[in-house]
Amino acid sequence: MITKKHPSPFLNPTGNIHDIDRNVLCNVLLLHIKQCSKASQYMAKFTKQRHWNHQTTGKLWDTISECISQIQSDYDDEAKERALQTLVSITKASPPHRNLVMQNQEAIPALLTLLKSSSRTLERLSLSILFNLSLNPNLKSTLADMATIQHLNTVILSRGSLESSKLAASLICSLAMLDKNKAVFGVANTIQALLKGVSRPNSPVTHHLLSSLAELVHFHGNCTLAVRSGAVSVLLRIVENKDSEDLSGTALSILGLLAKFDEGLKALTNTPSIVSRMLDVLKGRSMLNNEGAAEVLLRVFDESEECLRDAMGLPDFMYTLAELSVRGSTRAREKASLLLRKLEANESYVDDDLVFLK
């Protein structure tokens, strides 16, 4: 079978390859020229943008250097405040700008010096800049040096500016998100500082301090330090304080984290009436608190048969768990069901005449 060949668009109707249609050729050449023109325009635009970015970065670097020079100088506090506010704006939204600030070797020492200032405004603005810088993952390790951490501990323990204390706690939490920084905070006695802070009654900074503590106790060494510093009793007081129900969930989650390690688990099982105290939490309406208390009980029951027997001796314990396993949140129902299975598997510990077993 002979297939019919389609004529090339570059040939005239006679099919002579040497007799190319000039109109077609002109169209092809024009298209090629247009494409080359567009490419040239794109390259020109790219080169112009690159030049503009280079100029902008240069101007920004000059601004950063000028601001740092001003906060190091003997200028009055108003001039320093303006310089710090400029740096806050620069570091607030742009990760590349934060990296640019950190390239100035004088930036961090200058900011740390201002943390000792008698002006609360200068202290607050300096902490704001440090916190903004900590949002860049590549800067967390550099910022978490001993000098910086010691300053943060001092701010937490001082009874100065409320805003500064919140920023210091938030900065600790941000830096602690990098796992290798967690041990540095332990060595710098930050665990003890945080526990002292949360022990203060009715402190508006407690939530921030608890968040930082929750991040730090993921590290085993910090868990040990927390337990030895009395964390279990401090956290239980927060859980049982009826005026701080919004903090109870975080405190219970920290207790659950402590229970993952031997030191924390032993401290919990040795705590007087730990089972009945957690039962009181389970009777409450907060689903977050219920989940936290159930998690603590699961770990305590795995460790201590005595605690399991204590639970079986509480007449309303199984009823509360049964109620939670039906009406609780998804996580609370799962944990309550696990607790019920543990109790049902150990009914031999209970006297036959207890009514609630029927």
Side-chain angles (χ1 to χ4, degrees):
M1 180 178 178
I2 301 175
T3 58
K4 184 177 180 181
K5 294 184 178 180
H6 295 281
S8 169
F10 295 100
L11 301 180
N12 65 4
T14 62
N16 189 345
I17 195 170
H18 297 293
D19 195 9
I20 300 175
D21 191 319
R22 291 181 181 180
N23 290 331
V24 174
L25 181 59
C26 287
N27 289 336
V28 172
L29 288 175
L30 284 172
L31 179 62
H32 180 67
I33 290 170
K34 287 181 180 179
Q35 289 176 341
C36 290
S37 178
K38 287 183 179 179
S40 298
Q41 290 174 4
Y42 175 79
M43 286 302 297
K45 185 177 179 181
F46 174 77
T47 304
K48 184 178 180 180
Q49 181 70 26
R50 190 174 180 182
H51 179 67
W52 183 84
N53 288 341
H54 180 73
Q55 284 185 323
T56 304
T57 301
K59 291 179 181 178
L60 186 60
W61 174 257
D62 292 340
T63 302
I64 292 169
S65 300
E66 177 63 25
C67 289
I68 293 172
S69 176
Q70 287 181 14
I71 63 178
Q72 288 179 308
S73 68
D74 295 329
Y75 291 164
D76 57 25
D77 285 356
E78 285 189 11
K80 292 181 178 180
E81 283 179 25
R82 287 194 296 271
L84 288 171
Q85 286 169 348
T86 301
L87 289 174
V88 170
S89 299
I90 289 172
T91 58
K92 191 170 185 178
S94 173
H97 291 176
R98 296 173 196 142
N99 290 332
L100 200 59
V101 171
M102 285 294 289
Q103 289 177 22
N104 189 307
Q105 300 296 320
E106 300 297 322
I108 300 304
L111 293 171
L112 291 180
T113 300
L114 289 180
L115 291 184
K116 302 176 184 177
S117 171
S118 58
S119 169
R120 292 185 178 182
T121 302
L122 295 181
E123 179 187 65
R124 175 180 56 79
L125 290 171
S126 299
L127 284 167
S128 295
I129 296 166
L130 289 170
F131 175 75
N132 290 344
L133 293 173
S134 75
L135 299 177
N136 277 25
N138 62 306
L139 301 181
K140 291 184 187 292
S141 179
T142 305
L143 288 169
D145 64 351
M146 196 61 69
T148 304
I149 295 173
Q150 293 290 357
H151 280 297
L152 297 178
N153 291 350
T154 302
V155 174
I156 287 172
L157 292 173
S158 67
R159 296 182 180 271
S161 167
L162 175 63
E163 191 63 29
S164 292
S165 297
K166 289 181 178 180
L167 282 167
S170 298
L171 178 53
I172 290 172
C173 188
S174 175
L175 295 176
M177 289 179 181
L178 184 65
D179 286 342
K180 71 176 186 178
N181 283 348
K182 289 179 170 61
V184 184
F185 283 102
V187 174
N189 297 321
T190 303
I191 301 295
Q192 293 86 335
L194 292 171
L195 287 171
K196 286 181 181 178
V198 300
S199 297
R200 294 171 180 169
N202 303 319
S203 172
V205 192
T206 302
H207 178 72
H208 295 74
L209 300 177
L210 285 174
S211 297
S212 300
L213 185 61
E215 189 62 43
L216 286 171
V217 296
H218 280 89
F219 177 62
H220 189 180
N222 289 341
C223 172
T224 302
L225 289 171
V227 171
R228 291 177 181 176
S229 301
V232 172
S233 59
V234 170
L235 294 169
L236 283 174
R237 280 199 297 273
I238 294 173
V239 170
E240 294 171 335
N241 185 352
K242 302 301 181 183
D243 296 328
S244 60
E245 286 191 11
D246 56 325
L247 302 174
S248 299
T250 308
L252 284 163
S253 69
I254 298 174
L255 287 172
L257 291 170
L258 295 178
K260 290 183 177 181
F261 303 105
D262 288 342
E263 298 89 342
L265 190 54
K266 288 178 182 177
L268 281 167
T269 54
N270 292 331
T271 299
S273 305
I274 184 63
V275 177
S276 60
R277 294 165 85 171
M278 290 298 103
L279 174 60
D280 289 339
V281 177
L282 292 176
K283 291 177 180 178
R285 295 182 178 181
S286 169
M287 286 298 121
L288 182 61
N289 292 358
N290 291 343
E291 292 169 11
E295 176 65 23
V296 170
L297 286 173
L298 281 171
R299 295 191 178 278
V300 165
F301 288 169
D302 285 338
E303 173 69 13
S304 170
E305 290 188 356
E306 182 179 350
C307 288
L308 195 55
R309 287 195 294 269
D310 290 342
M312 298 296 289
L314 297 171
D316 54 349
F317 194 86
M318 290 189 74
Y319 173 79
T320 303
L321 288 181
E323 189 80 5
L324 189 61
S325 68
V326 175
R327 300 184 180 180
S329 65
T330 302
R331 289 189 63 194
R333 291 199 303 270
E334 291 174 355
K335 294 179 186 298
S337 298
L338 289 173
L339 287 169
L340 281 170
R341 291 193 195 104
K342 288 181 181 294
L343 294 173
E344 290 167 1
N346 288 273
E347 285 184 3
S348 57
Y349 291 127
V350 189
D351 295 333
D352 292 335
D353 59 348
L354 287 177
V355 178
F356 71 90
L357 276 180
K358 295 182 179 180

